[in-house]
Amino acid sequence: QVQLVESGGGSVQAGGSLRLSCVASGLTFSSYTMGWFRQAPGKEREFVGLISWNIITTNYADSVKGRFTIFRDNVKNTVYVQMNSLKPEDTAVYYCAAVLRGRITSIRADQYDYWGQGTQVTVSS
């Protein structure tokens, strides 16, 4: 069975930092592009960023560029997003997702094969 399990969410003040982790099992992790998405109350799920499976390359939404960093550890089957300079508008449930041999242009949720359960991030002003 394929499982993606996020952790690391919590509550922080504006300007603070948080690191989220997503541990994958039941798949050949190194063959998957890993994406991060988020969904705030009353809003659609939106792309945050991704890290590719082959030539390790990242792609970020403009809203988080320069503040968030995605990296992966293929030995631990884990993808991370380091979130710095957090803003109240970053408050959302954050999801990791996996797409087999996904391209750097995989920014739509419907392109992904597997999803985690999500972890809540709350940023207060």
Side-chain angles (χ1 to χ4, degrees):
Q1 57 178 337
V2 173
Q3 289 189 82
L4 304 178
V5 180
E6 302 98 332
S7 62
S11 298
V12 296
Q13 299 219 320
S17 297
L18 210 56
R19 181 180 292 179
L20 307 182
S21 302
C22 172
V23 179
S25 61
L27 50 72
T28 303
F29 183 73
S30 61
S31 296
Y32 284 79
T33 286
M34 301 299 299
W36 286 96
F37 292 77
R38 66 188 183 186
Q39 188 164 24
K43 297 182 67 177
E44 294 186 348
R45 189 166 298 188
E46 68 174 355
F47 173 73
V48 173
L50 63 81
I51 184 164
S52 62
W53 70 279
N54 53 165
I55 302 171
I56 303 302
T57 307
T58 51
N59 184 9
Y60 299 98
D62 288 343
S63 59
V64 307
K65 198 170 297 181
R67 299 189 297 121
F68 290 12
T69 303
I70 296 171
F71 55 103
R72 67 191 295 162
D73 185 335
N74 284 352
V75 175
K76 295 182 177 180
N77 286 0
T78 303
V79 62
Y80 307 86
V81 55
Q82 176 68 41
M83 307 186 297
N84 297 328
S85 302
L86 283 161
K87 305 173 180 179
E89 51 262 45
D90 295 318
T91 296
V93 176
Y94 283 71
Y95 299 89
C96 68
V99 53
L100 181 62
R101 299 191 300 273
R103 300 181 68 178
I104 198 68
T105 53
S106 300
I107 63 172
R108 300 194 320 271
D110 63 10
Q111 294 178 291
Y112 285 77
D113 301 316
Y114 303 106
W115 291 84
Q117 82 290 347
T119 186
Q120 177 71 47
V121 171
T122 302
V123 185
S124 59
S125 60

